[in-house]
Amino acid sequence: MSNQNQQAVARYHNNFLREVEERVEDGDWVKMCMQCGVCAGSCPLGSAWEHTPQKIFMMIRAGKRDEVLKSDAMWMCTSCYNCIVRCPRKLPITHIMHGLANYAHRLDMAPKGQPTRVIAKLFWDNLVKTGRVNELKFSLAMYFKDGFVQGIKNAMAMQSAGLSLVKAKRLNPMEIIGGHKCKDSSGIKKMIARAREIEDRKKGFTS
Amino acid sequence: MTDSIATNQTILVVGGGIGGMTAALEAAECGKQVMLVERNASLGGRTALLYRYFPKMCHPTCGLEINLRRLKGNRNVRVMTMTEVLSVTGRRGNYSVTLKVAPRYVNENCTACGECAKAVEAEIDNAYEYGLAKTRAAYLPHAMAYPQRYVIDPSIVGTNDGEKAKAACKVGAVDLAMQEETVTINVGSVIWATGWKPYDAAKIQPYGYGRFANVITSLEFERLADPHGPTGGKLLRPSDGQVAKNIAFIQCAGSRDENHLRHCSRICCMASLKQTQYVREAHGDAGKSTVYYIDLRTIDRLEDFYQKVQQDATVTFVKSKVAKIVEDKDGNPVLHGVDTEGYHRYATPHDLVVLAVGMEPEANGIKLPDDMLLDSSGFIEGSKDEGMFGAGAATSPLDVNRAVQSATAAALRAIKVIHKTATVEG
Amino acid sequence: MADNKFAAYICSGCGIGDKIDIGTLEKIAKKEGKMAEVKVHPFLCSTEGVQLISDDIANEAVTHVCIAACSRRAKTEAFYFPTVAMSRANLREGVLWVVAEGDAHDEVRQEMADDYVRMACAEVKKMKLPEGNPNHGGNKRILVVGGGMSGMTSALEAADAGYDVVIVEKQALLGGWGAKLWKRVPFKAPYAEPQDTGVAELAAKVSSHPRIKVYVGSTVAETAGAPGRFNIKIAQDADIVEETVGAIVQATGFTSYDIAKLPELGGGQANVTDQAGLEALAIAANGAAIKRADGKVVESVVFVQCAGQRDDTGKHLPYCSGHCCATSIKQAMYFKDANPDINTVVMYQDLRVPGMGEDFYRSAQDKGVTFTKGRASGVESSGSGCRVSFRDLILDEDTSVEADLVVLATGQVPSAGVDLEAWNPVVMAADGGAEDAKQKKAEMQKISILNLNYRQGPDMPQFKHGFADSHFICFPYETRRTGIYAAGPVRRPMDMLQATEDATGAALKAIQAVENASLGRAAHPRSGDLSFPTARLEGCTQCKRCTVECPFGAIDEDERRFPKFNEERCRRCGTCMGACPVRVISFENYSVDTVGSQIKSVDMPDEFSEKPRILILACENDAYPALDMTGLSRTVYSAFVRVIPVRCLGSVNTIWITDALNAGYDGVMMMGCKKGDDYQCHFVKGSELAHYRMSKIGDTLTQLGLEPERVVTHEVAITDNTRVAQYINDYVAQINEIGMSPMKGFN
Amino acid sequence: MAKKNYAFYPGCSSQKGASASNFVTSIGMMCDKLDIQLNEIPDWNCCGASIGYGEGGELPRLALNARNLALAEKNLPGQDLVSGCPACWLSTRETAERLHQHSDLMAETNVALKEAGLSFKGGVKARHMVEVLIEDVGFAGMKAQVVKPLEGLKIAGYVGCQTNRPFGIAGESFENPMYLDKMIETVGAEAVSYDQKVTCCGGALAFSEPEKSQKQIRDIVESAYDNGAEMIVTPCQLCQANVEIYQSEINKKHGTKLAMPVMYYSQLMTVAYGGNSKQAGLDGNIIHSQKLRDIAAK
């Protein structure tokens, strides 16, 4: 159990709903779900969901903390926003799923090596460095996320697509040595750090 | 014709559906003078277009017949059809109401012999069949229409067809020179029995009403099931005229949905359960009904009906708000969603989908006096001066039985206003 | 009284004159119908046509009018002559529009029209203009039984409308259940918070209203009489006070289903209560933290919905009480509003908050009430509280939840008095002298609410599950005891908003009843009908069929055991007339004679004519309109039938059938409304009685040497216009197969 | 006619040498013709995209987007922020709305912004390029510039997700938006109807869940084929990239022969407005449309 997870358990006892309401982005909407299931049926990757959003909401109410936070369901969100526009209770389901994923990641409860989780981290790290995303570095990082050998395989597998992008001038191999960046990248870094600090304080993270 | 037809001892009832007719008759049978105005060409409202009522599976026209007989035998009620309220001024006990009377182009001489309809060639959408069928431009609204008088559609006035209708009438009932009239009357109290309208199903985009021919509304399904309807009571689907045997019913189509109607429309669960029995009536054990629902709201003894339908092997219940409908190659609507009891994903094709559309106050489409008090969905709670009242489905999404109760109560509220006025004046 | 003068008016319009020889009709009306005046008009419903008739009534002293034109359902505004007796021969919908076109059918069409003129003339000759019941009471006070929310609302509404009211409440104070609530469910926008009940204010208004007389701690010891003249004995302590009223509203409410019957859900355990029990705790808390009976502050609570309701095992209540979901939501808010940290779970199967209740549901969710779709299987004590075991229907698992307090949402059990279905056999046995039955009868009578001294029992007949409801969707107040209206949860399970609405409606019906009674005319569904039944008692054999079969309990027995008609209770259906084996009961304008003479007036072709004659007795409420609409849609049916509308199949006296068969009719069709559980007969039992009576007619047929198929009964709905034509045509074919009646020519 | 000025937020994928670089190329001439002046927001940063949540959390993402809004507010006052990328637009608009609705978040965001020497007052509206075209130029205005109608070209308008939900284009439906079809018709081509118009391409999960995403893509492309389309056109950078790039992968795995060109609406418009292949960024496509090239070369 991570340190933060232990603290969270101590802080909220068994009131997982309260924990979600306070700590998860838009988590205070969870209680408004009426279990119609329209979100579950609206998700393009629905069949890949271990638990549907509506069921996750019910699990939260039932205090199934581990099952929820350890699930890879939320990581299946493609951010298509179908669930949001269809929800009859206007729950911001996409955001709640993102928030839950983020929270599970934060507590290090999310599944290890969950591909979207890994990529999300890579993406963020990439953007924080310069203020902008360097697609080549991001792609390479992705290919090598599962280790060097797998990375070569992944890169080979996508080689033709990659090469055609290079040919079409939509993937610049020169970006590896520099590429786009914001002028005020240090300001951005400080800004993000500050934002994170405020949020942590607000949500009661003590680390 | 102003003071002669109404006084501050008259009750004005707006709307001639089951609620309005009831309010008018109940007050009249207490000896009060009533003016009943209806926007359409005949009385009966939405119930006249239903095939059967739940839970008895009896026919709405049966009660309509009784009410019409009460009306025919009661001189206290004066009926004006094709009449709308333009404005209401004044206050409790003494209102001045301006009415707009649209021309029917047929006068009281009409004997409903039907010669005009035979003579006319032009056809118009039959509003009484929700546009599922056409009718001649000279028409009797429906078999039980009261007043039993034909209507000439304005579209043929000034045309050759109009003249043909006029020529065909042996009793001089066709009057193409009729003009819209505005009438102002004085009344003591107003009962708004303006009823409800089906929520516009096309706005519920994932269900594709309007895009997919085989997605229809529950009201259209009533017409399909009715032997007097466009298919002679056969459950034929619109896309190809094939018999629909495997039928899906989608609950809360617009209701309980903050993107559409906030409220629960109350009647739709029972209406769909009733309609599953139309499928049984048409196909016996070969029919198949699937009800997709969030909560089944069959309160009080209506629960008996639910329990009975649960015993019917042709009916299946799926606790799910359907996410979306797509159409397959054969024009079958395919329903996508998740059964939330447990977790079962489905993609189920049906022959026909019936959307149990929600009830929206009809008054959302008309201008009510500023004095009226409405709830968040536009249903009428009353008026600030307590001289005007809602009745029936104008006050809340109500089934027929409750609408009649509400209308009966409204009649008494209006009578109290009249009595108070009389006492003060006398 | 001036002499009767009969006149017939024949319309040749709408194409009648084109297809039917009007001259023949005129002759028939004059010669056979013996009409003093016969006039033909090309457009009888026109202003001039109507004037012609009015003038004759005014100037020529015409007292009886026979109109041969369109259906009696058409052109009613034009043909409105309230000062004369009137019959209508249906030449348009009944002949012109239903007989096949073409010369080949000219003869049968003419014969059909001829007969309808004969019949209308015969009928009107036997009719009298109804003058209204002269023996009516004129009391316009209203008795309200029950001083709860419904009763007080009825009383106040009626009193505010200018009617005097007597209200009788069993308890020492007005208020009923409403007074035992901490708050009520919201009844107007924004439907978000529990509201004050308003019961105290209402009770104060009722108590101080100049038109309302309040009897608390009182019950109704006896109700005698009829609308407009009810005599009520009110028992107050040991005293009996008498009041006279014109109509009654029964708003006697409900009791809560006994949780002791629900041991499996913890009924009887200390920390398990029902919704009423929770209200008591909330009142005791007065807005502060709610405490259990043992004084512990409740920190977690579970509401178990549908406790002992929606039960399909036969053990508990099968129905849904409708209000309980919203009530539990309200009660959960008691806790949340006092302390948002209290864990409140509403365990439901279907959350039933129709209409604007959805907003109330949302509001509760917003306050943090947890809604769990689950089915409770058991409640047992655990630690200092309870454990509720349940099936979580969403998470698809058996699980449990702990709570300091469990609230069972039990149902409403109506306080409707004696169940007449159970009562009648006991009375029969008691009348037969059985001692145990006599004792049981006395025992049963103790729970009676109204103590009606009616022949048919002391309370209103109950509908389903013991509620005093109406069977009619379109007519919720159509009870089976005229002038007595149920309101509130005694009529149907309902919430307070519905109950007050219902009570207002019932008050109106009571007002209507006293107004109608004071004019000596009928209440619903033959509203305004001035005819009423009379009996020639000298011919009566005291068989009691009329008193037993009257669906409305209108007929008692007098000291000499003759039927005693209470006209104000009567709905004018004629069931008594149909029941009477010696045919002594009749109405002025509807009698054994008015119909019998029509039957006999028909010209009967001989056996070899190949023209069968079939009599149709059609219920005027549904079958007759269906036949009219058959005409309107120009659906063809056989011209061999002769249709007579009847008030109800229950009014059909078997003499009409035997008369018809004796007269040589080849078959008789009876068309009435659906019977059984979902009966559509407006007079409740008419259709069923007719079927029963016809099942007995087989013997008569055998005696006459006739086939049983000569008399058939159909259930016909008002929408059956196509089917009814099919029935007719099929039956004519069947009769042709059986052959003509051998009875022809014997009369 | 006076040019309409907008604060332009190109987004990471529209940078030179990035996956949507040809989009930026293609809008140049289109904007010229329609008197749209795009003024790039100085030193703009990444929006966090739809996948930023995993690590980023709420306030850091709001701060990122608020920084762009603040830069626009400061440097290009009075101009609407316009992005061609739905993800950028969506993140920015979501941020603007959330900050507008929640004053506490606005205050906290400004504390963070201060670290980057900025503040945001909330005075900038975030719009999508398509909104500008439809609302500020109008279909008639778009049509007026057409000199080479793309006659005979059958196109499946693929709206995808984020231009469409949760905000979408005003007046359009989520399930069957019509504006893209109208734009296709505006440039003289034919819009085919097919049932995958708003299907998700898998979005960012194209990387992490390739199998699942490629199923989505295959459905979209095959449905376009089945309904007679010769080309897919989209307003979305990620849709364009995913649907175009992965066709070869799908072919390899499933033996299909998908080769459906996937274009931006702006490429069509540039060609229709008389632009050449280069101006329309056609060389930036991996799967080429010979028909479109031929028209451009005419």
Side-chain angles (χ1 to χ4, degrees), chain C residues 75-88:
Chain C
K75 285 287 169 189
T76 49
E77 298 89 344
F79 300 134
Y80 180 72
F81 307 109
T83 58
V84 297
M86 181 169 71
S87 71
R88 306 241 335 228

Side-chain angles (χ1 to χ4, degrees), chain B residues 26 65 72 110-111 113 146 228 262 295-298 300-301 303-304 381 401-402 416 419, chain C residues 73 75 77 92 157 161 189 320 350-352 358-359 362 465 469 492 498 509 512 634 721:
Chain B
E26 296 300 345
E65 171 73 12
K72 290 170 186 173
C110 177
T111 63
C113 72
Y146 179 87
H228 292 168
R262 292 181 64 77
D295 291 288
L296 268 162
R297 294 184 163 172
T298 50
D300 60 57
R301 65 175 150 87
E303 178 74 9
D304 296 357
E381 288 187 340
N401 199 264
R402 288 177 171 83
K416 283 196 320 195
H419 278 186
Chain C
R73 294 173 59 256
K75 285 287 169 189
E77 298 89 344
R92 189 175 75 157
E157 291 287 332
C320 156
D350 291 284
L351 202 82
R352 293 181 168 177
E358 196 68 20
D359 273 344
R362 270 188 282 258
H465 314 311
D469 202 358
R492 184 182 304 175
Q498 284 229 10
K509 294 305 288 190
Q512 205 177 64
R634 309 296 198 276
N721 53 351

Side-chain angles (χ1 to χ4, degrees), chain C residues 466-511:
Chain C
F467 288 91
D469 202 358
S470 153
H471 182 55
F472 297 98
I473 293 161
C474 312
F475 309 109
Y477 296 105
E478 200 172 324
T479 58
R480 285 162 58 183
R481 292 294 177 262
T482 309
I484 307 177
Y485 302 95
V490 70
R491 193 160 81 74
R492 184 182 304 175
M494 58 177 81
D495 61 20
M496 203 182 267
L497 171 60
Q498 284 229 10
T500 50
E501 193 79 358
D502 192 24
T504 309
L508 179 125
K509 294 305 288 190
I511 289 170

Side-chain angles (χ1 to χ4, degrees), chain D residues 75-147:
Chain D
N75 297 302
L76 301 162
Q79 296 179 19
D80 287 349
L81 180 150
V82 172
S83 179
C85 169
C88 296
W89 168 60
L90 183 53
S91 302
T92 316
R93 182 164 166 183
E94 244 171 33
T95 299
E97 293 195 357
R98 220 183 279 197
L99 296 185
H100 182 72
Q101 282 161 10
H102 304 282
S103 54
D104 56 331
L105 286 178
M106 180 65 116
E108 288 160 8
T109 303
N110 268 315
V111 172
L113 275 178
K114 210 172 161 197
E115 300 287 334
L118 290 165
S119 74
F120 178 49
K121 295 176 196 67
V124 182
K125 195 174 168 193
R127 301 174 72 196
H128 188 276
M129 178 60 88
V130 170
E131 284 182 295
V132 170
L133 292 178
I134 294 169
E135 291 163 8
D136 298 1
V137 177
F139 290 104
M142 285 187 252
K143 188 164 187 165
Q145 299 300 325
V146 172
V147 293

Side-chain angles (χ1 to χ4, degrees), chain B residues 210-222:
Chain B
R211 278 185 287 142
F212 308 139
N214 295 329
V215 176
I216 65 170
T217 68
S218 43
L219 295 164
E220 290 164 348
F221 193 64
E222 290 291 328

Side-chain angles (χ1 to χ4, degrees), chain A residues 25 105 131 170 180 183 199, chain D residues 15 19 43 55 59 61:
Chain A
E25 183 174 345
H105 171 68
R170 286 165 60 188
H180 303 281
K183 282 186 221 132
E199 188 163 272
Chain D
Q15 301 171 92
S19 61
D43 206 39
E55 175 73 18
L59 203 58
R61 279 185 297 135

